[in-house]
Amino acid sequence: MEPHSPEPVPPAAAPAPWLLVIDAQRIFADPGSDWASPFWDGAWERIRELADAVGPERTLLTRWLPTADRRTAWGDYFRAWPFADVPASDPLYDLVPGAAELTAHPTIDEPTFGKWGPQLLAALGGDPAALPPLLVTGVSTDCCVITTVLAAADAGARATVVTDAVAHSSAENGAAALHTLGLFAPQVELGSTAEVRLSEPTS
């Protein structure tokens, strides 16, 4: 009599991805701002599509705030960009209209280009060994997006940069940033909205 063969164990389902929207703020979106991205409107349309698919429980928004210590090199930075050297409560730093409704969570506010840190880790569950995959969107590809993604990769996260849902300071800078991010596979992947499109949330 042949020994009973155990039933094959199906592979565990991959965890559902979370959407990370970096710095969807007026300072980077309003045409009158010195830091407005000319690619914002197109990226914002894709961001909203992805947020609708992922749902507010798995969407996180960050903000960059001008609260860094001016005694450090950040003092040089704000002297170079005096228009941005205003209180964090200034409307420049508000989310763009419609952004707050995309998430059920508080914004993750940081005074640094990169948004990866204890706040973001905690919002994703707090366990570096059990992080959900991230779909990364927002602005600017060549500044806050790239610094966030590379720090997340160092922390063990898997990130897909959604290439048509990020906005750059210029076409050239955006292409350079995406090229650099593409060097960090398999932790970092690149894909368009169509390539990462998700089903509508069921609850």
Side-chain angles (χ1 to χ4, degrees), residues 59-62 103-109 119 123:
T59 297
L60 296 173
L61 274 69
T62 74
T103 182
H105 305 278
T107 59
I108 295 165
D109 298 336
Q119 285 194 86

Side-chain angles (χ1 to χ4, degrees), residues 18-22 60-62 108 120 134-138 148:
W18 283 54
L19 178 65
L20 180 61
V21 184
I22 296 177
L60 296 173
L61 274 69
T62 74
I108 295 165
L120 184 48
L134 298 176
L135 302 175
V136 183
T137 65
T148 299

Side-chain angles (χ1 to χ4, degrees), residues 31-179:
S33 169
D34 290 353
W35 287 346
S37 168
F39 302 95
W40 172 254
D41 289 344
W44 179 231
E45 185 175 349
R46 303 284 87 78
I47 289 168
R48 288 182 294 176
E49 289 179 20
L50 290 165
D52 286 344
V54 170
E57 291 296 335
R58 289 190 285 116
T59 297
L60 296 173
L61 274 69
T62 74
R63 290 191 305 163
W64 181 76
L65 295 183
T67 55
D69 189 341
R70 301 304 194 270
R71 297 170 298 176
T72 69
W74 283 104
D76 302 334
Y77 185 81
F78 283 105
R79 281 188 289 274
W81 298 102
F83 91 101
D85 194 4
V86 295
S89 58
D90 191 279
L92 268 178
Y93 291 102
D94 289 348
L95 293 172
V96 299
E101 290 74 20
L102 301 183
T103 182
H105 305 278
T107 59
I108 295 165
D109 298 336
E110 298 285 2
T112 49
F113 296 135
K115 302 307 181 299
W116 187 265
Q119 285 194 86
L120 184 48
L121 178 60
L124 292 168
D127 182 357
L131 292 171
L134 298 176
L135 302 175
V136 183
T137 65
V139 62
S140 168
T141 318
D142 42 309
C143 185
C144 295
V145 171
I146 191 171
T147 51
T148 299
V149 169
L150 294 183
D154 271 349
R158 295 174 175 85
T160 297
V161 179
V162 187
T163 55
D164 56 352
V166 288
H168 348 293
S169 62
S170 69
E172 295 79 10
N173 289 344
L178 290 173
H179 171 77

